[in-house]
Amino acid sequence: MTAFLRVLAVDDEPPALDELAYLLRADPRVALLHTASDATEALRVLRDTDVDAVFLDIRMPGLDGMELARLLRRFARPPAVVFVTAYDDGAVDAFDLGVTDYVRKPVRAERLAESLRRVVGSRVVPSHPAALARTEEDPTIPVELAGTTRMLPRSAVRWVEAQGDYARLHTADGSHLVRVSLATLAERWADAGFVRIHRSYLVQLRLIAELRLANSGYVVVVDETELPVSRRHTRELKDKLVRAAKQDWGR
């Protein structure tokens, strides 16, 4: 495995930064490592040096990791960003920023290796415009799976269920609980075809197999699962299904 990645590690806690730097240097893909103890120092490094990835703590004094990540997005050639944090309450914002990965502390070598694999993948620019468009149109959201944070593609989500201040993302092979409200996802995912059918449910419109009248009102069927449709959402849902069908007919 050839070392070629230029990496910047940023953390305001010296022990955490030392541990992260040690693990990054030990990976054969990392050719050059810079460190910074805060966002201001990180920006000085980035002013003078090109890097492929920034491994970044979120909670730091002054300019925090989220704010720095937003600045990095404005670069002509933005580096991949991997958040390294002890907290999970930044996962939704990380999703909006399109980060490459979201790693929970304490960091394990095998988990960091997975992040570097994702960084390598993110630095490969698709050669075909259609492939690039698919990458941009299918963002990922961090989810917890067996103690590991994974990046779940939005296209894998079939329907979403509200659970208090959280939302459960249902996929073809399971479900994942994320700290984001259903209302927030309904607003952010509307352009991707997700429709609100109930105060507790958000569904990918193209995956609705049936809309039918049941004893308690209308229900939709997604992956052989019946989901209730509230009275206030019924007419809008019918209109959207008809429009979608007409578009399919016109193809």
Short mmCIF file of all heavy atoms in Angstrom, two decimals, residues 47-88:
data_model
loop_
_atom_site.label_atom_id
_atom_site.label_comp_id
_atom_site.label_asym_id
_atom_site.label_seq_id
_atom_site.Cartn_x
_atom_site.Cartn_y
_atom_site.Cartn_z
N ARG A 47 -3.40 27.46 4.71
CA ARG A 47 -3.00 28.59 3.86
C ARG A 47 -1.70 28.28 3.12
O ARG A 47 -1.51 28.69 1.97
CB ARG A 47 -2.82 29.84 4.73
CG ARG A 47 -2.40 31.09 3.98
CD ARG A 47 -2.02 32.18 4.96
NE ARG A 47 -0.90 31.75 5.81
CZ ARG A 47 -0.56 32.35 6.96
NH1 ARG A 47 -1.27 33.37 7.42
NH2 ARG A 47 0.47 31.90 7.66
N ASP A 48 -0.85 27.53 3.78
CA ASP A 48 0.48 27.27 3.21
C ASP A 48 0.64 25.88 2.62
O ASP A 48 1.64 25.61 1.94
CB ASP A 48 1.55 27.47 4.31
CG ASP A 48 1.52 28.87 4.91
OD1 ASP A 48 1.23 29.82 4.16
OD2 ASP A 48 1.76 28.99 6.12
N THR A 49 -0.32 24.99 2.88
CA THR A 49 -0.15 23.59 2.50
C THR A 49 -1.44 23.01 1.93
O THR A 49 -2.52 23.27 2.47
CB THR A 49 0.26 22.74 3.73
OG1 THR A 49 1.36 23.35 4.39
CG2 THR A 49 0.62 21.33 3.32
N ASP A 50 -1.34 22.24 0.88
CA ASP A 50 -2.49 21.50 0.36
C ASP A 50 -2.61 20.18 1.12
O ASP A 50 -1.62 19.48 1.31
CB ASP A 50 -2.32 21.20 -1.13
CG ASP A 50 -2.46 22.45 -1.98
OD1 ASP A 50 -3.20 23.37 -1.57
OD2 ASP A 50 -1.83 22.51 -3.05
N VAL A 51 -3.82 19.86 1.55
CA VAL A 51 -4.05 18.57 2.21
C VAL A 51 -5.22 17.87 1.54
O VAL A 51 -6.09 18.50 0.93
CB VAL A 51 -4.32 18.73 3.72
CG1 VAL A 51 -3.17 19.42 4.42
CG2 VAL A 51 -5.63 19.45 3.98
N ASP A 52 -5.22 16.55 1.66
CA ASP A 52 -6.30 15.76 1.08
C ASP A 52 -7.45 15.57 2.05
O ASP A 52 -8.60 15.39 1.63
CB ASP A 52 -5.77 14.38 0.68
CG ASP A 52 -4.68 14.48 -0.36
OD1 ASP A 52 -4.96 14.96 -1.48
OD2 ASP A 52 -3.53 14.10 -0.05
N ALA A 53 -7.15 15.59 3.35
CA ALA A 53 -8.19 15.34 4.34
C ALA A 53 -7.87 16.06 5.64
O ALA A 53 -6.71 16.22 6.02
CB ALA A 53 -8.32 13.84 4.60
N VAL A 54 -8.95 16.47 6.33
CA VAL A 54 -8.83 17.08 7.65
C VAL A 54 -9.62 16.23 8.63
O VAL A 54 -10.83 16.03 8.46
CB VAL A 54 -9.37 18.52 7.66
CG1 VAL A 54 -9.27 19.12 9.06
CG2 VAL A 54 -8.61 19.40 6.66
N PHE A 55 -8.93 15.69 9.64
CA PHE A 55 -9.57 14.94 10.72
C PHE A 55 -9.79 15.94 11.85
O PHE A 55 -8.82 16.45 12.43
CB PHE A 55 -8.71 13.76 11.15
CG PHE A 55 -8.77 12.61 10.19
CD1 PHE A 55 -8.19 12.68 8.94
CD2 PHE A 55 -9.45 11.45 10.53
CE1 PHE A 55 -8.25 11.63 8.04
CE2 PHE A 55 -9.53 10.38 9.64
CZ PHE A 55 -8.93 10.47 8.39
N LEU A 56 -11.04 16.19 12.18
CA LEU A 56 -11.39 17.42 12.89
C LEU A 56 -12.30 17.16 14.09
O LEU A 56 -13.36 16.54 13.96
CB LEU A 56 -12.10 18.34 11.87
CG LEU A 56 -12.62 19.69 12.30
CD1 LEU A 56 -11.50 20.58 12.82
CD2 LEU A 56 -13.31 20.37 11.10
N ASP A 57 -11.87 17.66 15.24
CA ASP A 57 -12.73 17.64 16.42
C ASP A 57 -13.83 18.68 16.22
O ASP A 57 -13.65 19.67 15.49
CB ASP A 57 -11.91 17.97 17.67
CG ASP A 57 -12.70 17.78 18.96
OD1 ASP A 57 -13.70 17.04 18.95
OD2 ASP A 57 -12.32 18.39 19.97
N ILE A 58 -14.99 18.49 16.84
CA ILE A 58 -16.09 19.44 16.67
C ILE A 58 -16.08 20.51 17.75
O ILE A 58 -16.11 21.70 17.46
CB ILE A 58 -17.45 18.70 16.65
CG1 ILE A 58 -17.55 17.82 15.40
CG2 ILE A 58 -18.60 19.69 16.71
CD1 ILE A 58 -18.85 17.04 15.29
N ARG A 59 -16.04 20.09 19.00
CA ARG A 59 -16.14 21.05 20.10
C ARG A 59 -14.76 21.59 20.46
O ARG A 59 -13.97 20.93 21.12
CB ARG A 59 -16.79 20.41 21.31
CG ARG A 59 -18.23 19.98 21.03
CD ARG A 59 -18.96 19.59 22.29
NE ARG A 59 -20.31 19.15 22.01
CZ ARG A 59 -21.19 18.77 22.94
NH1 ARG A 59 -20.83 18.78 24.22
NH2 ARG A 59 -22.40 18.38 22.60
N MET A 60 -14.50 22.81 19.98
CA MET A 60 -13.23 23.49 20.27
C MET A 60 -13.53 24.94 20.60
O MET A 60 -14.51 25.51 20.12
CB MET A 60 -12.29 23.42 19.05
CG MET A 60 -11.88 22.02 18.65
SD MET A 60 -10.64 22.02 17.31
CE MET A 60 -11.59 22.73 15.96
N PRO A 61 -12.69 25.56 21.43
CA PRO A 61 -12.91 26.98 21.75
C PRO A 61 -12.70 27.86 20.52
O PRO A 61 -11.96 27.50 19.60
CB PRO A 61 -11.85 27.26 22.83
CG PRO A 61 -10.80 26.22 22.61
CD PRO A 61 -11.52 25.01 22.12
N GLY A 62 -13.36 29.00 20.49
CA GLY A 62 -13.23 29.88 19.34
C GLY A 62 -14.02 29.32 18.18
O GLY A 62 -15.18 28.91 18.31
N LEU A 63 -13.40 29.27 17.03
CA LEU A 63 -14.03 28.69 15.84
C LEU A 63 -14.11 27.18 16.03
O LEU A 63 -13.09 26.50 16.15
CB LEU A 63 -13.18 29.03 14.61
CG LEU A 63 -13.79 28.81 13.23
CD1 LEU A 63 -14.90 29.83 12.97
CD2 LEU A 63 -12.72 28.93 12.16
N ASP A 64 -15.33 26.63 16.06
CA ASP A 64 -15.43 25.18 16.32
C ASP A 64 -15.32 24.39 15.02
O ASP A 64 -15.17 24.95 13.92
CB ASP A 64 -16.72 24.85 17.08
CG ASP A 64 -17.98 25.09 16.26
OD1 ASP A 64 -17.90 25.15 15.02
OD2 ASP A 64 -19.07 25.19 16.87
N GLY A 65 -15.39 23.06 15.15
CA GLY A 65 -15.17 22.21 14.01
C GLY A 65 -16.22 22.37 12.91
O GLY A 65 -15.90 22.30 11.72
N MET A 66 -17.47 22.58 13.30
CA MET A 66 -18.53 22.78 12.31
C MET A 66 -18.27 24.04 11.49
O MET A 66 -18.41 24.04 10.26
CB MET A 66 -19.89 22.88 12.99
CG MET A 66 -20.42 21.57 13.52
SD MET A 66 -20.89 20.44 12.18
CE MET A 66 -21.41 19.03 13.17
N GLU A 67 -17.90 25.09 12.17
CA GLU A 67 -17.64 26.36 11.46
C GLU A 67 -16.44 26.23 10.54
O GLU A 67 -16.44 26.76 9.42
CB GLU A 67 -17.42 27.47 12.49
CG GLU A 67 -18.68 27.82 13.27
CD GLU A 67 -18.41 28.69 14.49
OE1 GLU A 67 -17.36 28.49 15.15
OE2 GLU A 67 -19.22 29.57 14.78
N LEU A 68 -15.41 25.52 11.00
CA LEU A 68 -14.25 25.31 10.15
C LEU A 68 -14.61 24.48 8.93
O LEU A 68 -14.18 24.76 7.80
CB LEU A 68 -13.13 24.64 10.94
CG LEU A 68 -11.84 24.32 10.15
CD1 LEU A 68 -11.26 25.57 9.50
CD2 LEU A 68 -10.81 23.68 11.07
N ALA A 69 -15.43 23.45 9.14
CA ALA A 69 -15.84 22.60 8.01
C ALA A 69 -16.61 23.42 6.97
O ALA A 69 -16.46 23.20 5.77
CB ALA A 69 -16.69 21.44 8.52
N ARG A 70 -17.42 24.36 7.42
CA ARG A 70 -18.16 25.21 6.47
C ARG A 70 -17.19 26.09 5.68
O ARG A 70 -17.40 26.32 4.48
CB ARG A 70 -19.17 26.07 7.22
CG ARG A 70 -20.33 25.28 7.80
CD ARG A 70 -21.42 26.17 8.37
NE ARG A 70 -22.49 25.35 8.92
CZ ARG A 70 -22.60 25.01 10.19
NH1 ARG A 70 -21.68 25.43 11.07
NH2 ARG A 70 -23.60 24.27 10.60
N LEU A 71 -16.15 26.55 6.33
CA LEU A 71 -15.14 27.34 5.62
C LEU A 71 -14.41 26.48 4.58
O LEU A 71 -14.13 26.94 3.47
CB LEU A 71 -14.13 27.93 6.61
CG LEU A 71 -14.61 29.08 7.49
CD1 LEU A 71 -13.51 29.48 8.47
CD2 LEU A 71 -14.99 30.29 6.63
N LEU A 72 -14.12 25.25 4.94
CA LEU A 72 -13.39 24.37 4.04
C LEU A 72 -14.18 24.09 2.77
O LEU A 72 -13.61 23.88 1.70
CB LEU A 72 -13.05 23.05 4.74
CG LEU A 72 -12.09 23.15 5.94
CD1 LEU A 72 -11.86 21.78 6.56
CD2 LEU A 72 -10.77 23.78 5.54
N ARG A 73 -15.51 24.09 2.88
CA ARG A 73 -16.34 23.84 1.70
C ARG A 73 -16.17 24.93 0.64
O ARG A 73 -16.46 24.71 -0.54
CB ARG A 73 -17.81 23.77 2.10
CG ARG A 73 -18.17 22.57 2.94
CD ARG A 73 -19.66 22.51 3.19
NE ARG A 73 -20.41 22.15 1.98
CZ ARG A 73 -21.74 22.16 1.91
NH1 ARG A 73 -22.46 22.54 2.96
NH2 ARG A 73 -22.35 21.82 0.79
N ARG A 74 -15.69 26.11 1.05
CA ARG A 74 -15.55 27.23 0.12
C ARG A 74 -14.21 27.20 -0.63
O ARG A 74 -14.00 27.99 -1.54
CB ARG A 74 -15.67 28.56 0.87
CG ARG A 74 -17.00 28.73 1.59
CD ARG A 74 -17.00 30.03 2.39
NE ARG A 74 -18.17 30.11 3.26
CZ ARG A 74 -18.34 31.07 4.18
NH1 ARG A 74 -17.42 32.01 4.31
NH2 ARG A 74 -19.42 31.08 4.93
N PHE A 75 -13.33 26.29 -0.23
CA PHE A 75 -12.04 26.20 -0.89
C PHE A 75 -12.24 25.78 -2.35
O PHE A 75 -13.17 25.06 -2.68
CB PHE A 75 -11.15 25.17 -0.19
CG PHE A 75 -10.50 25.66 1.08
CD1 PHE A 75 -11.10 26.63 1.87
CD2 PHE A 75 -9.29 25.15 1.50
CE1 PHE A 75 -10.52 27.08 3.04
CE2 PHE A 75 -8.68 25.59 2.67
CZ PHE A 75 -9.31 26.55 3.44
N ALA A 76 -11.33 26.22 -3.20
CA ALA A 76 -11.39 25.82 -4.61
C ALA A 76 -11.28 24.30 -4.73
O ALA A 76 -11.95 23.69 -5.56
CB ALA A 76 -10.28 26.50 -5.40
N ARG A 77 -10.42 23.70 -3.91
CA ARG A 77 -10.30 22.24 -3.86
C ARG A 77 -10.46 21.81 -2.40
O ARG A 77 -9.47 21.59 -1.69
CB ARG A 77 -8.94 21.79 -4.41
CG ARG A 77 -8.76 22.05 -5.89
CD ARG A 77 -7.39 21.58 -6.36
NE ARG A 77 -7.23 20.16 -6.12
CZ ARG A 77 -6.05 19.53 -6.17
NH1 ARG A 77 -4.94 20.22 -6.42
NH2 ARG A 77 -5.97 18.24 -5.96
N PRO A 78 -11.70 21.71 -1.93
CA PRO A 78 -11.91 21.40 -0.51
C PRO A 78 -11.40 20.01 -0.14
O PRO A 78 -11.61 19.05 -0.89
CB PRO A 78 -13.43 21.49 -0.35
CG PRO A 78 -13.96 21.30 -1.72
CD PRO A 78 -12.95 21.86 -2.66
N PRO A 79 -10.73 19.91 1.00
CA PRO A 79 -10.28 18.57 1.45
C PRO A 79 -11.47 17.77 1.97
O PRO A 79 -12.52 18.32 2.33
CB PRO A 79 -9.31 18.91 2.58
CG PRO A 79 -9.80 20.22 3.12
CD PRO A 79 -10.35 20.98 1.93
N ALA A 80 -11.31 16.47 2.00
CA ALA A 80 -12.30 15.63 2.67
C ALA A 80 -12.27 15.94 4.16
O ALA A 80 -11.21 16.21 4.73
CB ALA A 80 -11.97 14.15 2.44
N VAL A 81 -13.44 15.93 4.80
CA VAL A 81 -13.53 16.21 6.23
C VAL A 81 -14.04 14.98 6.96
O VAL A 81 -15.05 14.38 6.58
CB VAL A 81 -14.46 17.41 6.50
CG1 VAL A 81 -14.68 17.59 8.01
CG2 VAL A 81 -13.89 18.69 5.90
N VAL A 82 -13.32 14.61 8.01
CA VAL A 82 -13.74 13.53 8.90
C VAL A 82 -13.86 14.12 10.29
O VAL A 82 -12.88 14.61 10.84
CB VAL A 82 -12.73 12.36 8.91
CG1 VAL A 82 -13.13 11.32 9.95
CG2 VAL A 82 -12.62 11.73 7.53
N PHE A 83 -15.06 14.11 10.84
CA PHE A 83 -15.23 14.58 12.22
C PHE A 83 -14.81 13.48 13.18
O PHE A 83 -15.19 12.31 13.01
CB PHE A 83 -16.68 14.98 12.49
CG PHE A 83 -17.06 16.32 11.95
CD1 PHE A 83 -18.20 16.49 11.21
CD2 PHE A 83 -16.26 17.43 12.19
CE1 PHE A 83 -18.56 17.73 10.71
CE2 PHE A 83 -16.60 18.67 11.69
CZ PHE A 83 -17.75 18.82 10.95
N VAL A 84 -14.04 13.85 14.19
CA VAL A 84 -13.62 12.92 15.23
C VAL A 84 -14.07 13.53 16.55
O VAL A 84 -13.52 14.55 17.00
CB VAL A 84 -12.09 12.72 15.23
CG1 VAL A 84 -11.68 11.70 16.28
CG2 VAL A 84 -11.60 12.27 13.85
N THR A 85 -15.07 12.94 17.19
CA THR A 85 -15.71 13.60 18.31
C THR A 85 -16.21 12.59 19.34
O THR A 85 -16.44 11.42 19.01
CB THR A 85 -16.90 14.46 17.82
OG1 THR A 85 -17.58 15.03 18.93
CG2 THR A 85 -17.88 13.62 17.01
N ALA A 86 -16.38 13.05 20.55
CA ALA A 86 -16.92 12.20 21.61
C ALA A 86 -18.44 12.26 21.66
O ALA A 86 -19.07 11.57 22.46
CB ALA A 86 -16.35 12.63 22.97
N TYR A 87 -19.06 13.09 20.81
CA TYR A 87 -20.50 13.34 20.88
C TYR A 87 -21.18 12.94 19.57
O TYR A 87 -20.57 12.95 18.51
CB TYR A 87 -20.76 14.81 21.17
CG TYR A 87 -20.01 15.32 22.38
CD1 TYR A 87 -18.77 15.93 22.24
CD2 TYR A 87 -20.52 15.15 23.66
CE1 TYR A 87 -18.06 16.38 23.36
CE2 TYR A 87 -19.82 15.59 24.77
CZ TYR A 87 -18.59 16.20 24.62
OH TYR A 87 -17.90 16.64 25.72
N ASP A 88 -22.48 12.62 19.67
CA ASP A 88 -23.23 12.27 18.46
C ASP A 88 -24.21 13.34 18.05
O ASP A 88 -24.94 13.17 17.07
CB ASP A 88 -23.95 10.93 18.64
CG ASP A 88 -25.01 10.97 19.73
OD1 ASP A 88 -25.20 12.04 20.35
OD2 ASP A 88 -25.66 9.93 19.97
#
